Amino acid sequence: MFEQTVVLGLLAVCSMQDIKTQKIRLNPILVTGILGVIWHMLYQKIQLGNMLLGMGIGIAVWLVSFVTKGKIGIGDAVLLMVTGIYLGAQQNLELFLTALFLAGLWGLYLLVVRKRPRTETFPFVPFLLVAYVEMLVIRL
């Protein structure tokens, strides 16, 4: 329950920041990541290898951000590294792919219905939040 509350709270706070400014502050994310590592050291909720693989998804997104010269925000990548600490590899991949799918639908809507240009950007973290809420609801 602790992990779900922390991830949900982090995604909610970062979503609000991303919607308002299209930037997310790294300090709360990094503090949450350190807290997650300490939590797992004390209570061994996720195996270290699974945690590192979960973080690897964020690292892969960071590499894509680097290659595309920031088309994907580094904050999104760091946030996915931290969610990987709490969720592990499989759930973090599910989170990322679901959010990517939802963002793709939104982008298609903007392009086709709203006639927005392909180069228009929009915040990604709210899609992570919606995807995580969907994951929690399905697991109830």
Side-chain angles (χ1 to χ4, degrees), residues 43-62:
Y43 296 102
Q44 197 67 32
K45 295 288 186 174
I46 295 177
Q47 297 294 325
L48 179 62
N50 192 14
M51 186 189 314
L52 292 174
L53 285 173
M55 292 176 66
I57 294 162
I59 293 168
V61 172
W62 178 79

Side-chain angles (χ1 to χ4, degrees), residues 30-103:
L30 295 175
V31 168
T32 306
I34 292 167
L35 178 65
V37 170
I38 293 169
W39 174 259
H40 289 300
M41 287 171 58
L42 294 174
Y43 296 102
Q44 197 67 32
K45 295 288 186 174
I46 295 177
Q47 297 294 325
L48 179 62
N50 192 14
M51 186 189 314
L52 292 174
L53 285 173
M55 292 176 66
I57 294 162
I59 293 168
V61 172
W62 178 79
L63 290 172
V64 171
S65 175
F66 180 76
V67 168
T68 62
K69 294 180 174 50
K71 298 274 184 196
I72 299 171
I74 290 177
D76 298 327
V78 173
L79 184 58
L80 280 165
M81 285 181 217
V82 171
T83 57
I85 292 170
Y86 287 90
L87 301 177
Q90 183 176 347
Q91 287 185 342
N92 205 36
L93 182 60
E94 179 183 345
L95 173 70
F96 176 61
L97 293 178
T98 303
L100 204 55
F101 176 75
L102 294 171

Side-chain angles (χ1 to χ4, degrees), residues 119-131:
T119 56
E120 184 170 319
T121 62
F122 54 87
F124 181 67
V125 180
F127 297 101
L128 289 170
L129 176 61
V130 171

